[in-house]
Amino acid sequence: MSSKPGEQMPSSKDAKPLPAHVAIIMDGNGRWARKRLLSRVRGHERGTETVRTIVKASREIGIRYLTLYAFSTENWQRPKAEVTALMALLKNFLKSEKQEMIDQNIRLNTIGDTRKLPDGVRKILDQTLTATAGNTGLTLTLALSYGGRTELVNMVQEIAGAVSRGETDVNAISESLIAAALDTRGIPDPDIMIRTSGEMRISNFLLWQLAYTELFFTDTLWPDFSRGEFEQILQAYQNRDRRYGKVSER
Ligand code: IPE
Ligand code: IPE
Ligand code: MG
C-alpha cells in the first residue's frame, strides 16, 4: 500500500487532495523503552529519530504544514530528570537539524510558551527560527510548552484587552478574529490529527483548531511509527468523506 521513499503519493483522478496540514501527538516513547527495559529517555531518543523520518517524508510528499506536539504545559510536571533530558534532546535536535532545515527550505515555527524553555534551548531555537524565517517549503511547527487551554486564555486576554482599550468592538469578535489571536495564526487548521500509542484523547492539543480535523489513532508507539504507516494514513484520509455538517457530494 505504501509507496517507496521519494515516490509521490499515488493520486488518481478521483483521489482527494493531500492534507495541507498534518498534526501529530507523538506518544508512546516511555512505553517503547519500558518494553525493552530501557530508560524512558532512551525512548525519547528513539522518538527523535522518528521525528526526522516524518519531517523528511512530509517534505518529500509535499505536505505544507506539519505540527508536532513535542512538550505540553502538563509535561513540566514530569520528574525533573526526564524534563531535563527532554530539553537536552530538543537542543541537540535543533543543533543537528538547523542546517538541514535551511538547506531543505523548511520554515521552523513554534506554538506554546517558549519563554519557559531553558536559555540554551531558546538560543538555538531563536537562531533556527530566524535562519529559516524566509523559507517557503514545509512549515514545521513544534508545540513546545503548549497547551490548548492556555492558548485560549491568552486569546481571550488579547481580545478583551483590545475591547477594553476601545480598539475592538464586542460585535466585531468573530471566528477569524479569534483564530488570529491564537498561536497558530496564519496556519490553516489541521486536516489530519494522528495520535500514536493507542491513547484515544486529545491531551490539550489544538482545542480550537481540531473542530473539523480528521482523527487517526494508531496503537504503534512513536519510536516504531514509520513512513509506511504515515503514508497509509494519508491514503486513508484521501478516502474519507469530509462533510462539514453538510450532505455528501459523493
Ligand atoms: C511522548 O511519549 C513524549 C512526550 C510526551 C514528551 P511519552 O513520554 O508520553 O510516552 P508514554 O506515553 O509514557 O509511553
Ligand atoms: C501528550 O502526551 C503530549 C505530547 C505528546 C507532547 P502525554 O503522554 O503527555 O499525554 P497523556 O498524559 O497521556 O494525556
Ligand atoms: Mg504519553
Side-chain angles (χ1 to χ4, degrees):
M1 225 180 56
S2 61
S3 52
K4 289 188 210 83
E7 201 176 280
Q8 285 291 314
M9 293 284 293
S11 64
S12 75
K13 210 151 63 65
D14 298 329
K16 290 212 248 24
L18 279 168
H21 184 177
V22 176
I24 307 182
I25 301 178
M26 310 183 288
D27 198 12
N29 293 347
R31 278 162 284 171
W32 182 93
R34 192 172 63 196
K35 271 181 22 185
R36 288 161 180 80
L37 305 178
L38 298 170
S39 73
R40 292 179 56 84
V41 174
R42 292 292 300 280
H44 296 313
E45 282 169 13
R46 284 298 295 264
T48 309
E49 292 309 311
T50 308
V51 172
R52 290 191 174 90
T53 302
I54 298 305
V55 170
K56 182 166 184 275
S58 298
R59 183 173 58 70
E60 290 174 355
I61 290 165
I63 306 291
R64 303 284 309 149
Y65 301 91
L66 176 68
T67 298
L68 302 176
Y69 204 4
F71 196 85
S72 73
T73 48
E74 290 74 23
N75 289 152
W76 290 113
Q77 295 164 57
R78 291 190 177 196
K80 194 167 179 287
E82 181 171 345
V83 171
T84 303
L86 279 166
M87 292 301 145
L89 268 174
L90 175 60
K91 189 166 137 187
N92 290 339
F93 173 80
L94 291 167
K95 274 192 173 158
S96 69
E97 297 306 297
K98 181 179 161 202
Q99 193 55 47
E100 180 81 1
M101 289 188 219
I102 294 168
D103 294 344
Q104 301 297 346
N105 198 21
I106 294 174
R107 181 171 69 104
L108 184 68
N109 179 46
T110 62
I111 55 174
D113 189 359
T114 53
R115 290 167 306 183
K116 290 209 169 74
L117 300 172
D119 289 346
V121 176
R122 283 196 54 190
K123 192 165 159 232
I124 179 72
L125 185 60
D126 289 343
Q127 286 170 2
T128 313
L129 288 168
T130 304
T132 64
N135 286 354
T136 55
L138 173 72
T139 295
L140 171 63
T141 299
L142 298 180
L144 297 170
S145 191
Y146 173 85
R149 287 186 170 180
T150 299
E151 182 186 37
L152 293 175
V153 168
N154 293 339
M155 175 271 290
V156 171
Q157 288 181 346
E158 185 177 318
I159 293 177
V163 169
S164 70
R165 291 189 299 272
E167 296 160 9
T168 303
D169 190 81
V170 170
N171 296 311
I173 298 173
S174 62
E175 290 191 14
S176 59
L177 194 83
I178 288 174
L182 298 173
D183 293 1
T184 49
R185 69 185 70 88
I187 293 176
D189 289 342
D191 300 294
I192 293 184
M193 197 285 289
I194 302 168
R195 183 172 189 149
T196 57
S197 89
E199 305 300 352
M200 306 285 253
R201 54 179 172 261
I202 300 298
S203 299
N204 205 9
F205 191 41
L206 301 175
L207 298 179
W208 168 274
Q209 299 87 340
L210 293 177
Y212 263 106
T213 300
E214 295 293 325
L215 307 180
F216 290 85
F217 296 93
T218 169
D219 287 338
T220 305
L221 303 173
W222 179 249
D224 290 329
F225 191 69
S226 64
R227 178 178 184 134
E229 189 170 3
F230 184 53
E231 291 182 353
Q232 281 176 24
I233 290 172
L234 297 180
Q235 288 185 353
Y237 164 81
Q238 291 179 307
N239 290 317
R240 284 203 188 174
D241 189 13
R242 298 183 82 184
R243 286 188 290 279
Y244 298 98
K246 298 177 228 166
V247 174
S248 177
E249 284 169 22
R250 289 192 154 183

